[in-house]
Structure formats: C-alpha cells, structure tokens
Amino acid sequence: MSETAATPSPRRFSLAHLLLIVPWVALVIDAWAPIRDNSFLWHIRAGDLQALAGEVLTSDPFSFTMHGQPWLTQSWLAELLYAWGERNWGLGFVPPLMLLMTSITFLGIGLIAYRRSRSVSGTAVVLMLSTILLISFLVPRPVIFSFALFVVVILAWERPVTRWALPFLFWVWASVHGSFAIGLGYVGLSLVAEKEWRWAPTAILSGLVTLLTAHGLGVVTVLLEFVYARDALALLSEWRRPEIVSVAFLPFLIGLGLVVWAAVRDLVTPRHLWVIVPFLALGLGATRAIPPAWIALIPLVGLGVHGLKVGSAPRFTTGQAALFGTAVLVLPFFLASDAAIDQERFPVAASAALDQGRTFHDDRTGGYLIWAEGPGRPVYIDDRAELYQERLAEFVAIRDGDRPWQPVFARDGIEQALLKVTEPLVEDLEAAGWQPVFEDDEYVVLRP
C-alpha cells in the first residue's frame, strides 16, 4: 500500500511583505519631481569650474560681493559628477541619480531594521515611518549622498567582517559632503558604547583618511567655518530648530516612543545612551539634522519593533504578490513629472528681463542665476551662509525693511533688483522712484 505525498500549499505573502516595497512609489515620484533646490544648481557650476581648472575651488568665483574671498566647496566630488551628468544628459541625469541614492538609503534602512527587529512587520513599520519623515529632505543636492553613505557605514560597522571598508567609505563621504563628521561621531560613540577597543585603529584610520581628499587639511577648515557661521545659518529655515511636536515630525516622535518601548523590554540598555543622547540633541538642534539623527537611531527603533507580528493579517498568493509588486514598481513612472526647473519657484521669466548691471536678489535667485548664467553674471548672494555670514544678515534686514537699503545699494553698486512681489522692499523702492520693468505673479524686476 503506497502513501500519497502531501501537496505543499502555495507560498503566501503577508500584507507586511507587500508594504516593504511601497516606499518605492514615493521615491520614484520624488526623483522625477520638478527641481526646486537652488543649492543643487550652483553645485553644478562649481563642478564645471573645477573640471576646467583641474583643481578644487579655494575662493569664491560666483558673487560680486565676496568674489575672490577664501572659500572651500565641501562637495567637490559630487560637483564633478553633477557637471559630467549635465554635460552628457542635461538635467535628465538628476532622476536616475536621485532614485539610485534614495534606493540605497531605503534598502539600507530596511536591512538595518530587519537585523534588529527580526520581523517583516516591524521592518515595514520602520520603512513607512522613514518614508514619511525623510521624503521632504530627499533633494538632489550633495546631502543625498550622505544619507546613503550613513546607512552603509552603519551596516559596515554592525559586522566586524565588513569594518575594513569604513576608511574607504569615509574618504568618499568627506569628498561629497561635510556631514562625514556625523558618521565619524556615530562610529566613535558606538565604539565606546560597545567597548570594542580592538577596532579603535580602524575608527582612527577612518578619520585620518578624510584628510587625504582633494582639500587635504581643508576639510577641517570647512567644518570650522560652519561652526563660526552659526548665527548666519540660523537665518536659513533649514538650520532653525524643528517644530518637533508637529504632524511633519510625528514619525520622529513615534520612533522615540519605540526606543522607549525597547528600553522597557530591556532591549535598549544604558550603554545605548552613548548614541541616543548625542543624536537626539543633534536632531532637536536643526531641521536639516533630523535625517542623520533618524538614521543613527534606526537600529534602536528596530529593537522597538522586535518580533512584531500582525495576527490576523490577510495572506496573498505568489501570483497576487507578483501582480501587486509589478504595479508598485511600474505605475509610479507614469505618475512622475518631467524633471525640469520649477518655473514657479525660480525667476525663469524675470531673470530674462535683467540687464548686465549688478542685481539685488535673494539666496534662492542667487542659486538659480549661478546655474543659468554663472559665473558670467556675478550674484549678490546665495545660500552659502558660511561664506556670506554678516552679509546674509544684512540682506535679510534690508529685504524685510528693517534696515535702510540706500547705503548698501550705493556701496555695492546695485543697479536693479529682482524680488518677490510680496517683499516689503518692493514698496520702499517704488516709493523712492524705482520702476518695475517686469512683473508676474511671483517676481518683479525694478530699476531706478
């Protein structure tokens, strides 16, 4: 008498499995969104100049207010990549590059979360929180490389067999963005928390190789300039303290709650405070510091969802999961916009009305003018707060009508102004006899 082998049931996927790929939708749409970041635009031109000169920039080439003043661009390697991309594909290089960097970031976040949570559901929760929190920070400026590099550094540190890669990762990081210091801080604090002193030479070497980039010891100068420019940086919205108790930052608060829950379960111990306290302070200090603070806390947030299971969640067959996955991977490309300059954010039409005279304008316009006409048209100001410092404060006071404009305009030889139509300075200039030569819903160009 023979036995009939039991037929194995088809593999079924949970809702959590399907949710793992949902962030892809946001990443695709964000990658192909209109370009709104003025900092990214001047980075392209910086790359052009460095490629032509065969050396990194060491003084300001873009403004008539600070021209020739000592200035080191912290992102020379990223800028060379931007310039190469634009020469070959125009701005069409931006979406694929964005999607690559953000995909690495989120794959890394998912892997970190899964290693700590050992739960597909928990990993899905961390990925969804990360998507909601980080999506507004995913812009094409060089900081996009730092997010990807940070998660890779964390992954490399978590396993001794991969720690050999840390010096190389930090050399690249120091060449693309000044936030490499945050990554070094994470490694150093983790070293102390875990008391893995035998890896101290690797951590020290990781710091030393950052001095071997094209700037050499200049990377230290870059970091010090940002420390000295704290007052000027505070004038930029991204450097102000975040409104942490708000809908936008709710995922960050939920993540902190999960860390506390992990502590209640004894999964987070007092030694973890070496990482928690400094990075929590970092995140609370400035809006733009929220992403690195969140990424540093991902391993502990993962512990907060350790073993999470959803009891009665629906199950899906392989065919159903494949159909859902295909739709999620493909459909976002049909919803994406054409990657191009956002003509509502930047004064595309207004800048065409400018003559060759010196122009008073804001930092957003400065970034656009550097990309569109620089360095042939020197700008008044842009968002390089570490360079302008007192001039940035002076600009804000004049724009808001809190300081007389006449002495500064005379000193700097201002011959025209390109302003937002809602700025108080527009009325002041018109009262002094300046006339609009161009005006649309967003911008106005005035001359005396």
Side-chain angles (χ1 to χ4, degrees):
M1 182 175 181
S2 61
E3 293 184 2
T4 303
T7 302
S9 60
R11 183 176 180 180
R12 291 183 174 272
F13 295 84
S14 68
L15 180 62
H17 285 99
L18 303 187
L19 289 178
L20 291 176
I21 62 173
V22 169
W24 172 263
V25 178
L27 299 187
V28 172
I29 294 175
D30 180 71
W32 267 266
I35 295 172
R36 299 173 52 83
D37 190 83
N38 48 283
S39 178
F40 161 71
L41 294 176
W42 68 254
H43 279 294
I44 297 177
R45 291 295 160 259
D48 279 335
L49 293 180
Q50 291 170 113
L52 289 172
E55 60 184 8
V56 292
L57 294 173
T58 57
S59 62
D60 171 44
F62 295 127
S63 75
F64 61 82
T65 49
M66 300 296 289
H67 185 78
Q69 293 297 311
W71 171 73
L72 300 177
T73 173
Q74 60 176 300
S75 305
W76 63 270
L77 187 57
E79 290 160 353
L80 291 176
L81 178 62
Y82 290 161
W84 175 77
E86 190 195 39
R87 283 196 303 272
N88 289 279
W89 298 285
L91 292 179
F93 82 93
V94 176
L97 179 63
M98 280 283 293
L99 188 58
L100 174 62
M101 289 297 103
T102 55
S103 295
I104 292 173
T105 301
F106 276 77
L107 283 172
I109 288 174
L111 186 54
I112 294 168
Y114 184 74
R115 283 182 178 179
R116 297 304 178 96
S117 69
R118 290 320 208 183
S119 162
V120 174
S121 299
T123 302
V125 169
V126 175
L127 280 172
M128 297 303 290
L129 291 174
S130 299
T131 303
I132 297 169
L133 181 65
L134 299 182
I135 194 65
S136 63
F137 294 94
L138 302 181
V139 294
R141 68 173 63 178
V143 72
I144 198 70
F145 296 96
S146 73
F147 298 158
L149 284 164
F150 199 0
V151 296
V152 174
V153 162
I154 293 174
L155 288 169
W157 174 258
E158 285 190 339
R159 297 197 174 188
V161 71
T162 56
R163 288 179 183 174
W164 61 267
L166 288 173
F168 170 73
L169 292 172
F170 276 105
W171 184 91
V172 175
W173 196 344
S175 301
V176 297
H177 201 261
S179 60
F180 72 89
I182 294 176
L184 287 174
Y186 179 88
V187 170
L189 292 168
S190 298
L191 184 72
V192 174
E194 298 166 18
K195 297 182 179 179
E196 300 236 29
W197 306 119
R198 65 193 180 98
W199 290 102
T202 301
I204 294 171
L205 180 61
S206 297
L208 291 176
V209 297
T210 64
L211 305 178
L212 301 178
T213 69
H215 279 310
L217 292 174
V219 296
V220 179
T221 302
V222 170
L223 297 177
L224 291 177
E225 284 178 346
F226 275 87
V227 173
Y228 296 146
R230 284 179 298 177
D231 293 340
L233 290 170
L235 298 171
L236 303 176
S237 59
E238 64 184 4
W239 285 96
R240 295 171 188 159
R241 292 183 183 277
E243 296 181 7
I244 201 68
V245 184
S246 63
V247 175
F249 296 114
L250 181 60
F252 193 83
L253 293 178
I254 294 174
L256 293 179
L258 290 172
V259 173
V260 172
W261 174 240
V264 171
R265 299 167 66 192
D266 292 327
L267 297 175
V268 169
T269 62
R271 67 182 178 85
H272 290 115
L273 292 175
W274 281 99
V275 173
I276 295 172
V277 173
F279 280 95
L280 180 58
L282 176 70
L284 297 178
T287 298
R288 68 174 292 166
I290 286 289
W294 174 257
I295 291 171
L297 295 174
I298 288 291
L300 305 180
V301 176
L303 291 175
V305 290
H306 180 77
L308 178 66
K309 293 182 180 179
V310 181
S312 58
R315 312 293 290 188
F316 304 90
T317 65
T318 301
Q320 291 171 329
L323 181 62
F324 176 82
T326 301
V328 169
L329 293 175
V330 175
L331 288 180
F333 289 98
F334 294 95
L335 301 175
S337 305
D338 293 330
I341 293 294
D342 188 330
Q343 300 204 21
E344 293 185 2
R345 177 172 175 80
F346 296 112
V348 177
S351 64
L354 295 174
D355 61 24
Q356 291 303 310
R358 290 187 170 189
T359 308
F360 183 87
H361 54 73
D362 64 12
D363 55 305
R364 179 193 304 176
T365 296
Y368 172 76
L369 289 176
I370 291 173
W371 173 76
E373 303 183 47
R377 177 191 290 279
V379 300
Y380 176 77
I381 206 166
D382 53 78
D383 70 345
R384 293 173 291 162
E386 76 281 9
L387 171 66
Y388 294 102
Q389 298 203 31
E390 292 83 1
R391 277 190 173 272
L392 188 59
E394 179 183 77
F395 156 74
V396 171
I398 293 171
R399 181 195 61 184
D400 295 343
D402 297 329
R403 178 172 177 169
W405 55 271
Q406 294 90 341
V408 174
F409 276 35
R411 180 195 70 196
D412 294 330
I414 300 298
E415 301 171 76
Q416 57 192 340
L418 195 168
L419 301 166
K420 298 278 288 184
V421 295
T422 56
E423 290 173 352
L425 181 58
V426 174
E427 292 186 7
D428 293 342
L429 291 175
E430 289 180 335
W434 287 50
Q435 298 294 320
V437 296
F438 172 90
E439 185 171 356
D440 59 17
D441 293 338
E442 296 292 330
Y443 291 96
V444 59
V445 175
L446 302 107
R447 295 196 190 102

